[in-house]
Amino acid sequence: MLLPPANWLPQAPLELLQLDWLTNAGIEVAILRLDQIDPLISGNKWFKLTEHLKAADRAGAQGIISLGGAHSNHLHALAAAGKRLGFETVGLLRGHPQQTPTVEDLQAFGMQLHWLGYGGYRARHEPGFWEPWQAQFPNLHAVPEGGGGLAGALGCKALKEQVITQLNNLGWSDFHGWWLACGTGTTLAGLVLAEAGAHPVYGALAVPEDHGVAPQVEAIVQESGLAVADYAVFDASRGGFAKVDPVLLEFIESTERSSGVPLEPLYTGKALLALKQQVEAGRFEHGTRLIFVHTGGLQGRRGFSSCS
Protein backbone atom coordinates (compact mmCIF):
# COMPACT_ATOMS: atom_id res chain seq x y z
CA MET A 1 0.00 0.00 0.00
CA LEU A 2 1.37 3.39 -1.04
CA LEU A 3 -1.49 5.43 0.38
CA PRO A 4 -0.34 8.20 2.73
CA PRO A 5 -1.45 8.53 6.36
CA ALA A 6 -4.35 10.70 7.42
CA ASN A 7 -2.09 13.69 8.17
CA TRP A 8 -0.52 13.62 4.72
CA LEU A 9 -1.58 17.25 4.14
CA PRO A 10 -0.92 19.21 7.33
CA GLN A 11 -2.03 22.84 7.45
CA ALA A 12 0.58 25.33 6.23
CA PRO A 13 0.63 28.65 8.11
CA LEU A 14 -0.53 31.76 6.24
CA GLU A 15 1.14 34.94 7.49
CA LEU A 16 1.60 38.51 6.37
CA LEU A 17 4.89 39.34 4.67
CA GLN A 18 6.24 42.61 6.05
CA LEU A 19 8.64 44.28 3.61
CA ASP A 20 9.24 47.97 2.91
CA TRP A 21 8.79 47.73 -0.85
CA LEU A 22 5.33 46.22 -0.35
CA THR A 23 4.31 48.80 2.26
CA ASN A 24 5.53 51.68 0.09
CA ALA A 25 3.42 50.46 -2.83
CA GLY A 26 0.34 49.81 -0.72
CA ILE A 27 0.43 46.11 -1.57
CA GLU A 28 -0.37 43.39 0.96
CA VAL A 29 1.13 39.92 0.56
CA ALA A 30 0.33 36.85 2.65
CA ILE A 31 2.81 34.01 2.37
CA LEU A 32 1.66 30.40 2.49
CA ARG A 33 4.48 28.70 4.38
CA LEU A 34 4.60 25.29 2.72
CA ASP A 35 8.21 25.13 3.89
CA GLN A 36 6.91 24.53 7.41
CA ILE A 37 4.63 21.55 6.89
CA ASP A 38 7.26 18.81 7.21
CA PRO A 39 11.00 18.69 7.91
CA LEU A 40 11.76 16.45 4.91
CA ILE A 41 8.76 16.31 2.56
CA SER A 42 8.18 20.04 2.61
CA GLY A 43 6.72 22.53 0.21
CA ASN A 44 4.49 21.79 -2.75
CA LYS A 45 6.06 18.35 -3.13
CA TRP A 46 3.68 16.86 -0.54
CA PHE A 47 0.74 17.99 -2.63
CA LYS A 48 2.10 16.97 -6.02
CA LEU A 49 2.70 13.42 -4.78
CA THR A 50 -0.74 12.66 -3.37
CA GLU A 51 -2.61 11.80 -6.58
CA HIS A 52 0.41 9.99 -8.03
CA LEU A 53 0.54 7.76 -4.95
CA LYS A 54 -3.17 7.04 -5.23
CA ALA A 55 -2.71 6.10 -8.90
CA ALA A 56 0.23 3.86 -8.02
CA ASP A 57 -1.81 2.20 -5.30
CA ARG A 58 -4.72 1.58 -7.66
CA ALA A 59 -2.30 -0.03 -10.12
CA GLY A 60 -0.91 -2.33 -7.45
CA ALA A 61 2.58 -0.82 -7.77
CA GLN A 62 5.21 -1.43 -5.12
CA GLY A 63 6.88 1.92 -5.53
CA ILE A 64 7.66 4.96 -7.68
CA ILE A 65 10.23 5.71 -10.38
CA SER A 66 10.79 9.34 -11.35
CA LEU A 67 13.29 11.90 -12.65
CA GLY A 68 15.27 14.88 -11.42
CA GLY A 69 18.67 16.50 -10.99
CA ALA A 70 21.38 16.30 -8.37
CA HIS A 71 19.65 18.97 -6.26
CA SER A 72 16.06 17.88 -7.02
CA ASN A 73 13.49 18.82 -4.40
CA HIS A 74 11.05 16.39 -6.01
CA LEU A 75 13.36 13.38 -5.76
CA HIS A 76 14.33 14.38 -2.22
CA ALA A 77 10.68 14.47 -1.15
CA LEU A 78 9.88 11.26 -3.02
CA ALA A 79 12.79 9.37 -1.45
CA ALA A 80 11.83 10.65 2.01
CA ALA A 81 8.21 9.61 1.47
CA GLY A 82 9.33 6.17 0.31
CA LYS A 83 11.44 5.70 3.42
CA ARG A 84 8.69 6.97 5.71
CA LEU A 85 5.81 5.06 4.12
CA GLY A 86 7.79 1.95 3.20
CA PHE A 87 7.71 1.85 -0.60
CA GLU A 88 10.48 1.41 -3.16
CA THR A 89 11.87 4.46 -5.00
CA VAL A 90 14.07 4.74 -8.08
CA GLY A 91 15.53 8.00 -9.35
CA LEU A 92 16.65 8.73 -12.92
CA LEU A 93 19.09 11.61 -12.64
CA ARG A 94 20.27 14.28 -15.05
CA GLY A 95 23.99 14.30 -15.86
CA HIS A 96 26.80 12.12 -14.58
CA PRO A 97 27.41 10.70 -11.10
CA GLN A 98 28.21 13.34 -8.52
CA GLN A 99 27.87 13.72 -4.79
CA THR A 100 25.74 16.58 -3.52
CA PRO A 101 23.97 16.92 -0.16
CA THR A 102 20.74 16.00 -1.95
CA VAL A 103 22.25 12.91 -3.59
CA GLU A 104 23.65 11.81 -0.24
CA ASP A 105 20.16 12.08 1.23
CA LEU A 106 18.63 10.12 -1.65
CA GLN A 107 21.07 7.31 -1.00
CA ALA A 108 20.47 7.45 2.76
CA PHE A 109 16.71 7.26 2.18
CA GLY A 110 17.18 4.10 0.10
CA MET A 111 16.46 5.45 -3.38
CA GLN A 112 18.13 3.50 -6.20
CA LEU A 113 19.87 5.97 -8.51
CA HIS A 114 20.54 5.76 -12.25
CA TRP A 115 22.47 8.56 -13.99
CA LEU A 116 21.28 9.25 -17.54
CA GLY A 117 23.91 11.74 -18.72
CA TYR A 118 22.65 14.96 -20.26
CA GLY A 119 21.60 13.59 -23.62
CA GLY A 120 19.78 10.71 -22.00
CA TYR A 121 17.91 13.06 -19.72
CA ARG A 122 16.91 15.34 -22.60
CA ALA A 123 15.22 12.31 -24.17
CA ARG A 124 12.73 12.08 -21.30
CA HIS A 125 9.92 13.62 -23.39
CA GLU A 126 10.50 11.36 -26.40
CA PRO A 127 8.11 8.51 -27.24
CA GLY A 128 9.29 5.24 -25.80
CA PHE A 129 11.52 6.80 -23.12
CA TRP A 130 9.81 4.90 -20.31
CA GLU A 131 9.62 1.50 -22.03
CA PRO A 132 13.04 0.11 -21.00
CA TRP A 133 12.63 1.43 -17.47
CA GLN A 134 9.19 -0.09 -17.10
CA ALA A 135 10.60 -3.38 -18.39
CA GLN A 136 13.39 -3.21 -15.80
CA PHE A 137 11.07 -2.12 -12.98
CA PRO A 138 7.64 -3.59 -13.85
CA ASN A 139 6.32 -3.16 -10.30
CA LEU A 140 7.01 0.58 -10.13
CA HIS A 141 4.70 3.43 -11.15
CA ALA A 142 6.32 6.08 -13.38
CA VAL A 143 5.90 9.71 -12.29
CA PRO A 144 6.94 12.62 -14.55
CA GLU A 145 9.76 15.01 -13.70
CA GLY A 146 8.86 17.18 -10.72
CA GLY A 147 5.72 15.15 -9.99
CA GLY A 148 4.10 16.86 -12.96
CA GLY A 149 1.14 16.18 -15.17
CA LEU A 150 -2.57 16.37 -14.40
CA ALA A 151 -2.24 14.10 -11.35
CA GLY A 152 0.32 16.42 -9.76
CA ALA A 153 -1.82 19.46 -10.53
CA LEU A 154 -4.94 17.90 -9.03
CA GLY A 155 -3.04 17.33 -5.79
CA CYS A 156 -2.11 21.02 -5.70
CA LYS A 157 -5.74 22.14 -5.86
CA ALA A 158 -5.81 21.63 -2.09
CA LEU A 159 -3.64 24.72 -1.63
CA LYS A 160 -6.61 27.00 -2.18
CA GLU A 161 -8.49 25.49 0.74
CA GLN A 162 -5.40 25.92 2.91
CA VAL A 163 -5.56 29.65 2.19
CA ILE A 164 -9.34 30.15 2.36
CA THR A 165 -9.56 28.67 5.85
CA GLN A 166 -7.01 31.18 7.17
CA LEU A 167 -8.04 34.47 5.54
CA ASN A 168 -10.04 35.58 8.56
CA ASN A 169 -6.94 35.28 10.71
CA LEU A 170 -5.42 38.08 8.61
CA GLY A 171 -8.55 40.19 8.62
CA TRP A 172 -8.99 39.51 4.89
CA SER A 173 -12.34 38.66 3.33
CA ASP A 174 -10.78 37.93 -0.07
CA PHE A 175 -7.61 38.41 -2.14
CA HIS A 176 -6.74 39.43 -5.68
CA GLY A 177 -4.37 36.77 -6.98
CA TRP A 178 -1.60 34.22 -6.44
CA TRP A 179 2.15 34.52 -7.04
CA LEU A 180 4.52 31.56 -7.03
CA ALA A 181 7.67 30.13 -8.55
CA CYS A 182 7.34 27.71 -11.48
CA GLY A 183 9.70 24.86 -12.32
CA THR A 184 7.41 22.53 -14.28
CA GLY A 185 4.25 24.62 -13.91
CA THR A 186 2.39 21.84 -12.09
CA THR A 187 1.57 23.80 -8.94
CA LEU A 188 0.51 26.81 -10.98
CA ALA A 189 -1.75 24.55 -13.06
CA GLY A 190 -3.27 23.11 -9.89
CA LEU A 191 -4.13 26.57 -8.61
CA VAL A 192 -5.57 27.51 -12.02
CA LEU A 193 -7.81 24.43 -11.79
CA ALA A 194 -8.81 25.27 -8.23
CA GLU A 195 -9.63 28.87 -9.10
CA ALA A 196 -11.43 28.21 -12.39
CA GLY A 197 -11.11 31.91 -13.19
CA ALA A 198 -12.07 33.24 -9.75
CA HIS A 199 -8.59 34.67 -9.03
CA PRO A 200 -5.64 35.09 -11.42
CA VAL A 201 -2.53 32.98 -10.85
CA TYR A 202 0.87 34.50 -11.63
CA GLY A 203 3.86 32.23 -12.16
CA ALA A 204 7.49 33.36 -11.90
CA LEU A 205 9.49 31.10 -14.18
CA ALA A 206 12.57 29.69 -12.45
CA VAL A 207 13.57 28.15 -15.79
CA PRO A 208 14.00 29.83 -19.19
CA GLU A 209 10.89 30.14 -21.34
CA ASP A 210 12.21 27.53 -23.80
CA HIS A 211 11.77 24.86 -21.10
CA GLY A 212 8.13 24.76 -22.13
CA VAL A 213 6.39 25.57 -18.85
CA ALA A 214 3.58 27.52 -20.52
CA PRO A 215 2.72 24.68 -22.97
CA GLN A 216 2.80 22.18 -20.08
CA VAL A 217 0.34 24.28 -18.09
CA GLU A 218 -1.89 24.68 -21.12
CA ALA A 219 -1.81 20.92 -21.74
CA ILE A 220 -2.86 20.20 -18.14
CA VAL A 221 -5.66 22.76 -18.30
CA GLN A 222 -6.94 21.30 -21.57
CA GLU A 223 -6.72 17.73 -20.28
CA SER A 224 -8.75 18.72 -17.21
CA GLY A 225 -11.51 20.17 -19.37
CA LEU A 226 -11.48 23.48 -17.46
CA ALA A 227 -13.56 26.11 -19.28
CA VAL A 228 -12.07 29.29 -17.76
CA ALA A 229 -8.38 29.74 -16.91
CA ASP A 230 -6.83 33.01 -15.71
CA TYR A 231 -3.05 32.92 -15.41
CA ALA A 232 0.17 34.51 -16.65
CA VAL A 233 3.85 33.66 -16.44
CA PHE A 234 6.87 35.96 -16.07
CA ASP A 235 10.53 35.22 -16.72
CA ALA A 236 12.30 35.13 -13.37
CA SER A 237 15.12 32.73 -14.33
CA ARG A 238 17.80 35.43 -14.40
CA GLY A 239 19.55 33.80 -17.35
CA GLY A 240 18.84 30.14 -16.73
CA PHE A 241 17.83 27.50 -14.23
CA ALA A 242 20.11 27.55 -11.16
CA LYS A 243 21.71 30.78 -12.40
CA VAL A 244 22.56 32.83 -9.32
CA ASP A 245 23.93 36.36 -9.32
CA PRO A 246 25.00 38.88 -6.66
CA VAL A 247 21.81 40.94 -6.98
CA LEU A 248 19.68 37.87 -6.25
CA LEU A 249 21.84 36.77 -3.33
CA GLU A 250 21.82 40.24 -1.81
CA PHE A 251 18.03 40.40 -2.18
CA ILE A 252 17.63 37.03 -0.44
CA GLU A 253 19.92 38.05 2.40
CA SER A 254 18.18 41.38 3.00
CA THR A 255 14.72 39.82 2.72
CA GLU A 256 15.54 37.10 5.21
CA ARG A 257 16.95 39.69 7.58
CA SER A 258 13.84 41.88 7.28
CA SER A 259 11.12 39.22 7.28
CA GLY A 260 12.62 36.20 9.02
CA VAL A 261 11.41 34.01 6.15
CA PRO A 262 14.08 31.64 4.76
CA LEU A 263 14.40 31.59 0.97
CA GLU A 264 16.49 29.65 -1.53
CA PRO A 265 18.00 30.94 -4.79
CA LEU A 266 16.44 28.56 -7.33
CA TYR A 267 12.73 29.15 -6.79
CA THR A 268 11.37 31.25 -3.93
CA GLY A 269 14.16 33.83 -4.00
CA LYS A 270 13.77 34.39 -7.73
CA ALA A 271 9.98 34.47 -7.48
CA LEU A 272 9.92 37.08 -4.73
CA LEU A 273 12.49 39.25 -6.52
CA ALA A 274 10.37 39.06 -9.68
CA LEU A 275 7.33 40.13 -7.66
CA LYS A 276 9.28 43.12 -6.32
CA GLN A 277 10.16 44.13 -9.88
CA GLN A 278 6.53 43.87 -11.01
CA VAL A 279 5.30 45.83 -7.99
CA GLU A 280 7.84 48.59 -8.65
CA ALA A 281 6.82 48.61 -12.32
CA GLY A 282 3.25 49.39 -11.24
CA ARG A 283 1.59 46.16 -12.33
CA PHE A 284 -0.55 45.97 -9.21
CA GLU A 285 -2.85 48.70 -7.91
CA HIS A 286 -2.64 50.19 -4.45
CA GLY A 287 -4.64 47.97 -2.10
CA THR A 288 -3.95 44.72 -3.97
CA ARG A 289 -3.79 41.61 -1.80
CA LEU A 290 -1.74 38.67 -3.08
CA ILE A 291 -0.99 35.15 -1.86
CA PHE A 292 2.68 34.23 -2.26
CA VAL A 293 3.28 30.47 -2.13
CA HIS A 294 6.51 29.47 -0.43
CA THR A 295 7.11 26.24 -2.33
CA GLY A 296 9.74 24.93 0.08
CA GLY A 297 12.90 23.50 -1.44
CA LEU A 298 15.11 24.79 1.35
CA GLN A 299 17.13 21.58 1.29
CA GLY A 300 18.51 22.83 -2.04
CA ARG A 301 20.22 25.75 -0.28
CA ARG A 302 22.97 23.35 0.71
CA GLY A 303 24.28 23.42 -2.85
CA PHE A 304 24.95 27.14 -2.57
CA SER A 305 27.48 27.88 0.13
CA SER A 306 26.67 31.60 0.13
CA CYS A 307 23.06 30.83 1.07
CA SER A 308 23.67 28.23 3.75
Side-chain angles (χ1 to χ4, degrees), residues 144-169:
E145 178 184 30
L150 179 58
L154 291 174
C156 291
K157 289 179 65 177
L159 295 179
K160 181 176 181 179
E161 185 63 26
Q162 296 243 339
V163 165
I164 295 300
T165 58
Q166 298 183 77
L167 286 180
N168 284 340
N169 298 340

Side-chain angles (χ1 to χ4, degrees), residues 274-291:
L275 176 58
K276 180 177 185 287
Q277 293 168 339
Q278 292 299 321
V279 166
E280 292 176 343
R283 172 169 291 275
F284 300 107
E285 296 180 356
H286 188 283
T288 296
R289 288 173 168 171
L290 298 173
I291 304 295

Side-chain angles (χ1 to χ4, degrees), residues 28-41:
E28 291 183 271
V29 170
I31 181 168
L32 184 64
R33 298 290 302 275
L34 298 183
D35 59 306
Q36 293 190 343
I37 63 174
D38 188 89
L40 290 177
I41 319 171

Side-chain angles (χ1 to χ4, degrees), residues 85-147:
L85 302 178
F87 61 82
E88 184 179 354
T89 57
V90 172
L92 308 180
L93 279 84
R94 177 177 60 250
H96 304 293
Q98 58 178 297
Q99 285 300 117
T100 68
T102 302
V103 169
E104 291 173 1
D105 281 352
L106 300 183
Q107 294 166 330
F109 295 155
M111 176 175 272
Q112 184 181 150
L113 306 183
H114 296 268
W115 296 86
L116 304 183
Y118 293 99
Y121 197 82
R122 282 194 295 271
R124 66 194 181 280
H125 299 305
E126 295 180 4
F129 170 83
W130 284 106
E131 290 179 6
W133 295 108
Q134 289 176 323
Q136 185 174 347
F137 299 104
N139 295 322
L140 300 188
H141 180 74
V143 170
E145 178 184 30

